[in-house]
Amino acid sequence: MSSSTTIRRLSVVSPVPADIDIANSVEPLPISRIAEELNLGSQHYDLYGKYKAKVLLSVLDELQGSDDGYYVVVGGITPTPLGEGKSTTTVGLCQALGAFLDKKVATCLRQPSQGPTFGIKGGAAGGGYSQVIPMDEFNLHLTGDIHAITAANNLLAAAIDTRIFHEASQSDKALFNRLCPPNKEGKRTFADVMLRRLKKLGISKTNPDELTHEEIKRFARLDIDPDSITWRRVMDVNDRFLRKITVGQGPEEKGMIRETGFDISVASEIMAVLALTTSLADMRERLGRMVIGNSKDGEPITADDLGVGGALTVLMKDAINPTLMQTLEGTPVFVHAGPFANIAHGNSSIVADKIALKLVGKGGFVVTEAGFGADIGTEKFMNIKCRYSGLVPQCAIIVATIRALKMHGGGPDVVAGKPLDKAYTSENVALVEAGCINLARHISNTRDYGVNVVVAINKFATDTDAEMNAVKTAALAARAFDAVVCTHHAHGGKGAVDLGIAVQRACENQTKTLKFLYPLDISIKEKIEAIAKSYGASGVEYSEQADKQIEMYTKQGFSGLPICMAKTQYSFSHIASQKGAPVGFVLPVRDVRASIGSGFIYPLVGTMSTMPGLPTRPCFFDIDIDITTGKVMGLS
């Protein structure tokens, strides 16, 4: 048993109460106690109230020579719309390792978007007796990182339209005079960000008065092609009516109307930058080189060209620090970044993982979650996140449920908000066995990266031993390292002890090295096709627009970047209704975009939306506040 002073023993009851009721029944420890257990001093973090703290990146510098702990990633099978419990399993495993197996452990999770929290899926703090607390703070504003991303993203959007507006109404000289006005002494100077643009243009002069007429034009006039702009505004709410809008309809904008739209905040490239950055200096460079579109001559226009890279970094300066929280059983949690895995790379931040690995040290464990099924979340963890971090996982977990496996075996549709068909609540071993084809492909794909794979079978009350044994048999036949039944939702860490033991064994017996799915020096299309092959596709079909974009990005020198596929999370294919492990389909790539600051090319497969809509009965119907105690009710 752990000797940690932060470990809390849970008194579980059955049936399991609502998530928010469990969360509200446990008084969190002061976050300074959690920090102390990690050997963090008060100089290493800033408090955000009693139960949250921002851990400063200076910790990494201090621990640079220290050993890392074991690195574990949690993915899943292709999920139902209800989710299969990856976050719950991640938290339950860490509670088992820390509270029952006496291991130094840290959980690394993404910050939930308020879109799903108030929309269709609910929060992402885990569930049952395996949760992050305070659960309401975790699922809502937290420490404001997503708000910072929203502000920075929309500042850049405003800068784009403003620059087009001013360039349209001014001569080169007038534009230059306003960009570089004389100070009180009558002297002109370039702002630091302007020097970056001059360097990009190959102009070595640092005195504005020395520029020639031609140099003034090249410097001052970005000449943005409005039709090429890919940067959209964002907000952290599901709102289908903002997917396509027109801007510039005010009388003062002189008829400069163009079509654009909103994405959800977590789909912003700035979120991806936050998740993939390695330092403040690196974040400044990444934000500055984000490409928003092209000039009319086809040259990429960046945030630094617009003069806004430094301001974006200022808005993000606190967001770069991971937030420290705790589980119900008192083990530490790092919450940082929150990109979706279907439309972004779906992983929490590199800096949180790096700090956590140093703090747990040799023999400790850091468990991080990759969004949605392993075909997208784990694939992007390996091929994008691990490339940029240099970190190598020793174990990959695939979370499976009987419910989802039955769906993949041919069971009826699973629809959020509707009762489950009886096929999912009564024993049907044949349906489970048929659905294990989906699990087998996820195991095979994940093993190809050179990591040991452990299957976590997330047990629900209606699941039977015969069904569990069918999954174990199929997992081991697919060459999983182990397959373990877990009851952490109902029992907390105690219900994931066997999973913890299996993960420890998998990490200690890891002998292979990380192998990426594709090298970076092949073409964009070859990389896309390598990923499509892992889905089971026989080929890829590119739209005329996709071909045009690939040609342009290759010409602009961006073909050496990794690929981040934007694809439905509900199938290996592009068609959400195709369950199991489909093969032989042709994957349609309708468009290709570039996130140059975050460092990847992202093809849009099928009809992916970057702004979710609300269902008929959103989660917000159940959310309210107890006006006597001030406690949040109805979060799930």
Side-chain angles (χ1 to χ4, degrees), residues 490-569:
H491 302 118
K494 186 177 181 181
V497 168
D498 289 345
L499 177 62
I501 293 169
V503 166
Q504 183 178 349
R505 287 179 50 244
C507 288
E508 291 171 348
N509 287 279
Q510 173 64 23
T511 55
K512 297 178 183 177
T513 55
L514 179 62
K515 181 182 176 184
F516 297 122
L517 184 58
Y518 52 81
L520 291 181
D521 58 1
I522 59 176
S523 70
I524 291 173
K525 283 191 174 181
E526 286 173 312
K527 284 180 271 199
I528 291 172
E529 285 151 19
I531 298 171
K533 186 178 178 182
S534 76
Y535 298 155
S538 60
V540 178
E541 181 180 76
Y542 301 92
S543 71
E544 185 179 340
Q545 171 69 8
D547 272 328
K548 177 184 169 186
Q549 293 296 103
I550 289 170
E551 183 180 352
M552 182 183 69
Y553 292 139
T554 302
K555 182 182 175 184
Q556 291 175 342
F558 301 141
S559 63
L561 296 173
I563 301 296
C564 181
M565 300 283 262
K567 179 185 79 74
T568 179
Q569 66 269 35

Side-chain angles (χ1 to χ4, degrees), residues 175-243:
L175 195 62
F176 182 70
N177 287 341
R178 286 180 171 87
L179 288 170
C180 299
N183 58 22
K184 290 178 181 178
E185 288 76 39
K187 186 179 179 182
R188 297 176 186 271
T189 58
F190 287 119
D192 287 345
V193 72
M194 293 176 173
L195 297 174
R196 290 172 179 252
R197 173 156 176 78
L198 290 167
K199 184 178 179 182
K200 175 182 173 180
L201 296 172
I203 300 171
S204 58
K205 298 170 185 175
T206 58
N207 183 347
D209 294 324
E210 293 179 1
L211 266 61
T212 66
H213 291 302
E214 179 59 29
E215 288 170 338
I216 285 172
K217 180 177 181 178
R218 289 176 63 212
F219 167 78
R221 194 163 295 281
L222 301 183
D223 204 22
I224 298 168
D225 178 1
D227 293 333
S228 75
I229 296 170
T230 55
W231 197 267
R232 289 153 60 95
R233 288 157 174 84
V234 299
M235 63 187 302
D236 199 35
V237 173
N238 290 1
D239 192 343
R240 67 181 71 244
F241 285 92
L242 290 178
R243 288 171 181 168

